[in-house]
Amino acid sequence: MKLNLEKINGFSVLTVNEERIDAHNSGELKEYLLQLIDKGDIQIIVLLANVRFIDSSGLGALLSGNKQVAAKSGKFVLCAIQQQVMSMFELTRLNRVFEIYADLNDAFNTEN
Amino acid sequence: MCTSVIQVDVIIPTHTKYLDLIGSIGERIAKELDNFTGDREALAYQLNLVLTEATVNAIKHGNDSNPQDTVRISIHLYDKELNIKVYDHGQGFDLANVPLPDFENPKESGMGIYLIRSLMDSVTYTKQEACNVLEIVKYLN
């Protein structure tokens, strides 16, 4: 899975450079997030602008990251979710569980 | 039932690397629907998702002890109906006993069947002699 990690404004910004998150690669995303959190990175923004498809296992991987960060009183944010992908969050009502912003600027601005 | 306009039969090894291929077939079919008046982009995504989830389900419930095991996916497009059948060779499961997700305390897994049921019009799972069949129907308007 193509993932890119940058440190911006104190956040670990993880860009998912895949069009598709499904049961074939979601395990890798879950594992990557867990290792990141284990290392102490608990201010995480996942940038999903390039993702045009997510299945239930992909939602599960993000949920796993969200839970781990919440347990350490950190912050786990999703950014730039495409419309059809967003409909999956709505259908599973996970849009009420995750902190979601339209873009990185919005995510940073709420911090100020 | 009348003859199908399009019939696609695919047999894949029980491996998740083929999910993209199966899902893409669903997206392409949505774009071939001449008389569909609804949101075509949404339907394309939904068919991609449903085929992905149903295939994962078949792989998960497949015959682990047989490395040559396969999943067969059969898609029939009729005038006003899309019919998807996914065949697995495993122990099967009881569709009636698959619970709704716990929306208040969401779990990391167990949402696949819920998504299929939410997006499609009919979902059944039957055990046949040599295999199990998950049959999914979507009425097209």
Side-chain angles (χ1 to χ4, degrees):
Chain A
M1 173 170 253
K2 292 176 200 149
L3 299 168
N4 183 52
L5 185 68
E6 289 173 280
K7 283 275 186 188
I8 308 175
N9 286 4
F11 276 90
S12 298
V13 179
L14 183 67
T15 305
V16 180
N17 286 316
E18 296 281 351
E19 284 197 357
R20 195 177 157 93
I21 308 176
D22 65 18
H24 187 54
N25 58 9
S26 59
E28 210 177 315
L29 175 62
K30 180 178 172 178
E31 193 54 35
Y32 188 93
L33 285 168
L34 288 182
Q35 285 184 11
L36 197 63
I37 296 158
D38 273 352
K39 274 192 332 192
D41 285 18
I42 53 165
Q43 303 288 316
I44 297 175
I45 296 177
V46 183
L47 193 58
L48 293 167
N50 298 322
V51 177
R52 56 176 290 273
F53 180 89
I54 193 165
D55 75 352
S56 62
S57 74
L59 295 172
L62 293 172
L63 191 58
S64 160
N66 190 52
K67 280 184 180 175
Q68 299 291 326
V69 166
K72 297 187 173 187
S73 305
K75 199 168 173 67
F76 190 90
V77 171
L78 304 179
C79 243
I81 302 179
Q82 292 192 23
Q83 186 190 342
Q84 301 293 348
V85 172
M86 190 63 183
S87 69
M88 291 300 104
F89 284 87
E90 289 163 354
L91 195 56
T92 53
R93 302 183 204 174
L94 290 175
N95 56 325
R96 302 189 307 196
V97 173
F98 287 104
E99 201 170 328
I100 298 173
Y101 295 103
D103 54 42
L104 274 181
N105 280 336
D106 276 6
F108 294 141
N109 285 339
T110 19
E111 292 307 296
N112 301 328
Chain B
M1 181 174 285
C2 56
T3 323
S4 54
V5 181
I6 299 176
Q7 177 179 344
V8 181
D9 263 290
V10 189
I11 296 173
I12 55 161
T14 50
H15 195 290
T16 52
K17 74 176 175 183
Y18 300 106
L19 293 175
D20 189 4
L21 169 69
I22 301 302
S24 302
I25 294 170
E27 285 212 3
R28 286 294 290 121
I29 286 176
K31 287 167 188 169
E32 298 298 330
L33 303 175
D34 294 332
N35 301 323
F36 184 70
T37 55
D39 184 339
R40 200 174 287 261
E41 286 301 314
L43 182 69
Y45 190 100
Q46 290 168 8
L47 294 183
N48 188 342
L49 183 83
V50 164
L51 281 162
T52 299
E53 298 287 353
T55 304
V56 170
N57 190 68
I59 291 171
K60 208 188 315 178
H61 292 100
N63 186 349
D64 287 338
S65 58
N66 177 9
Q68 305 299 318
D69 192 21
T70 55
V71 174
R72 178 180 161 213
I73 300 111
S74 178
I75 306 167
H76 288 248
L77 174 64
Y78 301 101
D79 189 25
K80 291 181 177 165
E81 179 186 318
L82 184 74
N83 182 292
I84 297 167
K85 290 193 184 87
V86 180
Y87 301 81
D88 72 75
H89 304 103
Q91 292 295 307
F93 67 101
D94 188 356
L95 184 66
N97 282 336
V98 176
L100 273 176
D102 181 347
F103 295 114
E104 297 309 313
N105 298 294
K107 303 280 184 300
E108 290 164 32
S109 60
M111 287 182 285
I113 292 291
Y114 164 74
L115 287 173
I116 296 173
R117 278 178 160 153
S118 300
L119 297 170
M120 300 288 116
D121 294 306
S122 156
V123 185
T124 56
Y125 189 74
T126 48
K127 296 185 181 188
Q128 299 182 350
E129 254 179 51
C131 61
N132 309 298
V133 188
L134 182 69
E135 182 171 3
I136 300 161
V137 176
K138 174 81 175 174
Y139 301 120
L140 305 167
N141 300 311

